[in-house]
Amino acid sequence: MNNVISSASLLNLNNEEQSKYNVSVIVCSFNRASRLLDTMRSLEKLIVPQNINFEILVVDNNSTDDSIVFLKEHYPQVRIIQNEINGGFAKGYNDA
């Protein structure tokens, strides 16, 4: 399963794809591979015991570290929005 999508392809999601989760968690990241593990573990501890149907989206603002590789290897269920430029914090969240 290819979980890396471009921000432009988000416009093509149908209503069923958009509404199958009760909670969407969006994480904006730039060169923070070292912090993503802590973030993912915290989310698992918080959300999983609540039995909530959720998704995690990570918006990567063109990181040059191994953030994407880390997520693909350890959290393949996470949807990744991989931006080609770092447009900043607000743009990253707007892309999600």
Side-chain angles (χ1 to χ4, degrees):
M1 178 174 133
N2 183 2
N3 64 342
V4 177
I5 58 178
S6 69
S7 56
S9 68
L10 288 175
L11 299 174
N12 298 322
L13 294 178
N14 63 37
N15 287 338
E16 182 179 320
E17 290 171 318
Q18 292 176 353
S19 64
K20 67 180 178 181
Y21 300 104
N22 298 98
V23 175
S24 294
V25 177
I26 302 168
V27 177
C28 189
S29 179
F30 175 68
N31 288 335
R32 290 292 188 191
S34 61
R35 299 296 301 173
L36 284 172
L37 177 61
D38 292 337
T39 301
M40 294 301 133
R41 285 182 176 165
S42 293
L43 289 171
E44 288 174 334
K45 288 179 184 178
L46 179 68
I47 296 174
V48 172
Q50 303 299 321
N51 199 25
I52 297 172
N53 191 16
F54 70 99
E55 67 177 337
I56 299 174
L57 292 93
V58 174
V59 180
D60 181 79
N61 276 335
N62 200 29
S63 293
T64 55
D65 66 0
D66 61 348
S67 296
I68 300 297
V69 172
F70 168 79
L71 287 170
K72 286 182 179 180
E73 286 180 7
H74 299 284
Y75 294 92
Q77 72 278 18
V78 170
R79 276 202 316 178
I80 303 166
I81 300 170
Q82 191 171 2
N83 289 332
E84 293 180 8
I85 62 165
N86 182 352
F89 184 80
K91 182 184 182 321
Y93 280 104
N94 286 336
D95 289 343

